[in-house]
Amino acid sequence: MSRRRTLGTKKKVALLVSAAAVAGGGAFVLAGTSNAAQSPQTAAESTVCQGLATALGNNQRFIEGQRATPDAQSAARIANREAVIAQIKVQQKASGCAVGESAQGSQTAAGRPSQAATASAPAAQAPPAVNAASGQQVCNGSTVTLSGEAGAPAASSNQFPIGTKLKVTNLDNNKSTTVKVTSPSGSCALLNNAAFEQVREPGKFLIRRALIEKVG
């Protein structure tokens, strides 16, 4: 009787171990399925990711332009934009986007001035836009995104010199902001974080329907 009970106990232990192994395997499969379901989204799949990818691409192209035609301030500008890129990547991760994905905005379509040229002489590359009368619409068809830079509301541009006042209106919510251009960039109008918050729609990092006016 004692031997049978011992054998019975061993069988029970074996069954419990087998059950645990099966359960563990099931948990592994579930975990794998869950991770697959949470794979990062691309710019093509999400407007949030598209906006962040565009912002990242704009900053990367600006850095390329500064490296191609450096001046006395290029090192400082590059360091600033590299910090901005790092922050954008943090936002990409937090938003479930593919970290490091970059995209080109409509502002940088073929035929526009190169990054190297706009970085060194942003005011001279688009005479029609720079000479536009106050209140005139400019950069027709351009989308607007954020630069990722901190500070008081401001903009950067490859079309207008520093000091130019631009009014940017988000036609999807009729919100607008008027800001000064404080630095060159790779787009007609890039808003810094504070300015973009004044016109953005919740959860979006890209304004597809924008009205940009030169007001000063």
Side-chain angles (χ1 to χ4, degrees):
M1 295 294 290
S2 176
R3 185 178 180 183
R4 287 178 183 174
R5 282 196 297 269
T6 302
L7 290 173
T9 300
K10 289 181 179 180
K11 287 181 179 179
K12 288 179 181 178
V13 171
L15 288 172
L16 287 172
V17 171
S18 298
V22 171
F28 176 79
V29 171
L30 287 174
T33 303
S34 176
N35 289 336
Q38 295 175 1
S39 58
Q41 290 183 305
T42 65
E45 298 169 327
S46 164
T47 55
V48 170
C49 297
Q50 183 181 17
L52 290 170
T54 301
L56 184 61
N58 286 336
N59 282 285
Q60 288 174 331
R61 288 189 296 277
F62 177 80
I63 289 175
E64 290 171 2
Q66 290 292 305
R67 286 175 174 161
T69 55
D71 58 29
Q73 300 298 319
S74 290
R77 293 192 193 113
I78 290 172
N80 175 265
R81 293 307 176 96
E82 286 177 339
V84 169
I85 286 174
Q87 183 57 37
I88 292 173
K89 288 180 178 179
V90 171
Q91 291 178 319
Q92 284 180 320
K93 183 176 181 180
S95 300
C97 304
V99 177
E101 181 182 18
S102 65
Q104 293 187 359
S106 64
Q107 306 96 318
T108 55
R112 291 293 178 88
S114 67
Q115 288 297 306
T118 57
S120 59
Q125 300 307 311
V130 173
N131 296 328
S134 180
Q136 181 178 338
Q137 182 177 351
V138 295
C139 306
N140 295 353
S142 292
T143 58
V144 175
T145 187
L146 76 167
S147 66
E149 294 181 289
S156 55
S157 175
N158 67 354
Q159 304 281 329
F160 304 98
I162 292 173
T164 302
K165 276 189 178 181
L166 298 176
K167 180 180 180 181
V168 179
T169 302
N170 183 346
L171 297 177
D172 289 326
N173 60 12
N174 291 319
K175 292 183 177 181
S176 63
T177 182
T178 300
V179 291
K180 279 187 177 182
V181 174
T182 58
S183 64
S185 72
S187 306
C188 171
L190 259 181
L191 300 179
N192 70 354
N193 291 349
F196 195 79
E197 284 297 326
Q198 294 178 345
V199 295
R200 72 179 295 182
E201 292 182 88
K204 293 187 178 181
F205 293 91
L206 179 70
I207 301 173
R208 294 181 180 278
R209 298 176 63 242
L211 173 64
I212 305 172
E213 300 169 275
K214 178 178 177 290
V215 296

